Amino acid sequence: MIKTDLTGALSFIDEKELPGAEDKKALTDLLDGKIGRGGAGWLRLPEDYSDAVSAAIRSAAYQIADNSEVLVVIGIGGSYLGARAALDLLRTPYYNQIKKRTPDIYFAGNNLSGEYLEQVIALIGGRNFSVNYVSKSGATMEPSAAFRVFKNLLDSKYGAEGARKRIYTTTDGEKGKLRQLTDRKGYTSFAIPDDIGGRYSVLTAVGLLPAAVAGIDIDELMSGARDIMNKDKDDVLQYASARQALYRQGKKIEILGCFEPSFRSMGEWWKQLFGESEGKDGRGIFPVYTEFTTDLHSLGQYIQSGERSLFETFVSIEKTSAAIRVPKDGELEDGLETLAGRELQELNRAAFAATKAAHNDGGVPVIQLDVPQLSPYYFGALVQFFELSCAVSALISKVNPFDQPGVEAYKKNMYAILGLQK
């Protein structure tokens, strides 16, 4: 299972304080349902996942794959980040460029750029496509504008009835503008429980439907999440507790780093999860994602020698399937002939160890999270691990992990500029 290694952080904090009594109480209260009403429904998802839920999602995925060469997932924030993370990490960031039996998957509605949307439409071209519109309310500007564009394209290409059969919605089960439209039009739909916020919704149909369309084993994914809930939470608590202990030491920035490029979208989801959950009331650790070794050649200097207001969390993927070796080539004369015959993963592991040691020596605490391998099982486990540790960490710092009042500020200004009513 996922393990928390604090050896790179213990010289900066007192191990005896980890976890503290308040830290343990925060986890216990969360699991006992004493807090988080209206926002902690995600805790039940692994246990509530049933054969019926699995069959309904897989049936829709098969239908999409049967009649469409492309699926467009429309959503912003938690409505798409988890799905994109699963696609990149469990298939490949080049998913749409490889030959496969499953549809290409494009993401839209996560910005207001006309250039971006034109490019997605051009990539679809004349191919058959379906749309998965993900929004609890159906009234968020970015995805709403994109859905109007793609609904118009579907209507023009297939007619109203043909378009209806190609639109899948993931929304509130009872209320909201998208629920009303879904019921009126008869779209195939999946419900987001009312007590689950967007950033905690990866393990609902929000993330599971696109994953299933891509051929990912969603039953295995949920099995990993279930095991996190059923086994002891010591590693979850250690991560949450260490973060807050470092924060009290003035380490106000957390840099999540991974040495696998396919982890990038997972890092983007992690940023939203922790940023929206903790950044309130003038408090919170600022979350940043870095891709190593790439970013060692851009941010590495600052991390090594800049202001000491940060700490790092390294995600270590212990086992990968790659077996590429460095070829021998005597013509290069680059002084690296001794690399010949070595696997790149050996070099990557060496870079991981060297970076952790160098940053520690430079005054940067490093928490290490060990993940056995890249698989649906461990993706689900990591999602549940991060969600639990995030909620506990926020509770330790005395903020509500399940609201995001600051997100509305820019929306009010934008609606005023555009002359719209909110």
Side-chain angles (χ1 to χ4, degrees), residues 276-397:
E276 280 195 357
S277 298
E278 291 190 313
K280 295 156 196 172
D281 303 329
R283 280 170 278 174
I285 300 166
F286 186 77
V288 179
Y289 179 68
T290 53
E291 180 182 308
F292 293 148
T293 61
T294 303
D295 286 334
L296 292 175
H297 297 263
S298 57
L299 293 175
Q301 171 62 43
Y302 186 92
I303 297 171
Q304 187 69 44
S305 305
E307 187 177 349
R308 303 295 77 185
S309 59
L310 55 88
F311 68 94
E312 292 180 287
T313 297
F314 284 180
V315 178
S316 171
I317 311 298
E318 297 176 13
K319 181 181 178 181
T320 67
S321 59
I324 294 179
R325 293 182 181 274
V326 179
K328 184 176 182 179
D329 193 331
E331 293 182 346
L332 295 181
E333 297 182 356
D334 55 9
L336 299 174
E337 292 84 356
T338 56
L339 297 182
R342 295 190 179 187
E343 288 190 0
L344 279 173
Q345 287 306 109
E346 178 189 351
L347 308 186
N348 209 25
R349 286 191 292 271
F352 182 105
T355 303
K356 180 178 178 180
H359 289 182
N360 262 179
D361 290 344
V364 179
V366 179
I367 300 170
Q368 182 174 322
L369 302 179
D370 293 321
V371 182
Q373 63 183 21
L374 299 178
S375 68
Y377 176 90
Y378 284 110
F379 177 85
L382 190 58
V383 166
Q384 199 72 11
F385 179 97
F386 274 140
E387 289 178 349
L388 276 170
S389 56
C390 177
V392 172
S393 181
L395 291 170
I396 294 170
S397 65

Side-chain angles (χ1 to χ4, degrees), residues 213-229:
V213 171
I216 294 167
D217 189 338
I218 59 174
D219 293 345
E220 269 298 293
L221 192 153
M222 294 303 294
S223 177
R226 189 179 302 114
D227 280 351
I228 287 289
M229 294 303 298

